[in-house]
């Protein structure tokens, strides 16, 4: 089957990947800096605390941005599938309306009967004209003139 000419759905791309990669590079740099500081000195210094803080922060940012990008990608795929399903449903409904008299596999959607069809389905005792009813019947059996 040939590829359709429809535009591709939005999927997070270069910009999101740029920020994830940038956060990953910064996290890797902080990890290397922290490792170098730990291996060079025996006691904890202010630079080690700064490097550890940067390491934790950039690693968390990289993980959160990566998770966000993955969720956006999955949501874009689901959204495209829902849109395609809605188009298929509407097309099938259109085809069912056109094929209602034919004996195909498409089942026509039920329609609401008109006012004339309701009267035909009722029994003869229920058929009372508005003009034939008395005033008491129209008001639910109550006489409001008192």
């Amino acid at each position: 089957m040939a590829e359709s000419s429809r535009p591709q759905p939005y999927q997070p791309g270069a910009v999101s990947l740029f920020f994830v990669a940038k956060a990953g590079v910064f996290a890797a740099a902080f990890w290397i800096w922290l490792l170098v500081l730990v291996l060079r000195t025996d006691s904890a210094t202010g630079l080690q605390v700064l490097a550890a803080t940067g390491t934790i922060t950039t690693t968390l940012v990289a993980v959160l941005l990566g998770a966000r990008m993955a969720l956006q990608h999955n949501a874009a795929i689901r959204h495209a599938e829902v849109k395609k399903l809605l188009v298929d449903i509407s097309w099938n409904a259109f085809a069912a309306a056109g094929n209602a008299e034919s004996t195909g596999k498409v089942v026509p959607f039920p329609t609401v009967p008109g006012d004339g069809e309701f009267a035909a389905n009722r029994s003869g005792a229920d058929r009372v004209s508005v003009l034939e009813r008395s005033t008491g019947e129209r008001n639910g059996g109550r006489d409001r003139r008192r």
Side-chain angles (χ1 to χ4, degrees):
M1 186 167 150
E3 285 290 321
S4 68
S5 61
R6 287 191 257 176
Q8 293 295 321
Y10 166 76
Q11 293 184 2
V15 174
S16 296
L17 185 60
F18 169 75
F19 285 113
V20 171
K22 185 176 179 180
V25 167
F26 274 93
F30 272 109
W31 276 105
I32 292 169
W33 186 36
L34 180 63
L35 183 65
V36 168
L37 287 177
V38 167
L39 293 177
R40 290 176 84 197
T41 59
D42 292 335
S43 62
T45 63
L47 283 177
Q48 286 179 339
V49 172
L50 179 67
T53 304
T55 301
I56 292 168
T57 304
T58 55
T59 302
L60 287 176
V61 167
V63 168
L64 289 175
L65 287 176
R68 180 177 176 261
M69 188 176 88
L71 289 173
Q72 282 181 339
H73 179 74
N74 290 339
I77 291 172
R78 281 194 316 271
H79 181 71
E81 289 174 359
V82 167
K83 282 176 50 176
K84 184 178 182 229
L85 183 63
L86 286 174
V87 168
D88 290 344
I89 288 171
S90 65
W91 178 253
N92 285 337
F94 175 74
N99 296 333
E101 280 73 29
S102 66
T103 58
K105 291 185 177 182
V106 178
V107 178
F109 288 100
T111 58
V112 177
D115 292 334
E117 295 174 6
F118 279 126
N121 293 335
R122 292 187 297 195
S123 64
D126 290 343
R127 294 183 196 165
V128 177
S129 170
V130 174
L131 301 175
E132 293 175 5
R133 291 193 287 183
S134 67
T135 307
E137 288 177 347
R138 272 185 253 149
N139 294 331
R142 289 180 261 148
D143 190 9
R144 295 184 186 215
R145 286 184 246 167
R146 292 187 212 175

